[in-house]
Structure formats: structure tokens, C-alpha cells
Amino acid sequence: MNETKLLERITINPKVFGGKPIIRGRRLAVEHILAMLAAGDTPEMLLKGYPWLEAEDIQACLVYARRSPADPQN
């Protein structure tokens, strides 16, 4: 799946979760996924802990993080 398609999984709605980027409209913020990965959780652990979560959602979070406003290739 290309990056553009992956990023379609990330939504921002000011009325949901304080306008933070979330995964597929669910109340799970991209920042939480990234924090769990940074803390040492594996993608497999996240998928087990959130049964609705898909591997592509985790990949989308990583792409989203990489494409920061400071990224010249954004």
C-alpha cells in the first residue's frame, strides 16, 4: 500500500479527541501508537491489545510521523 493510501487511515476532526490525528475515526490517537512503539511495544502487541487495529494502521502512524511539517519531502 502506498503512503497516500496509508495516510487516508489517519483522520483529524476537531470534534473527536480534541482534533488530534486518530486512526480511522476511532478514539485512538496516532501519538499513542507512536508512544507505545517508542516504549518498546511491538506491532504484534498492539494488534493483540486493539483487535480492530490493522497492521496498515500502525504503518500509517509511522508514515504520518515521518511526514512532519519540517520534512522537505512532505
Side-chain angles (χ1 to χ4, degrees), residues 3 13 19 22 26 29 35 40 46 61 63-67 72:
E3 287 188 355
N13 181 337
I22 57 175
R26 303 283 188 119
L46 298 178
C61 292
V63 170
Y64 187 88
R66 185 190 64 76
R67 287 190 165 196

Side-chain angles (χ1 to χ4, degrees), residues 29-56:
V30 170
E31 70 183 79
H32 290 120
I33 292 292
L34 296 172
M36 288 184 275
L37 291 170
D41 289 346
T42 65
E44 292 78 18
M45 291 168 70
L46 298 178
L47 295 172
K48 193 172 189 178
Y50 297 90
W52 59 268
L53 193 67
E54 299 172 359
E56 291 83 2

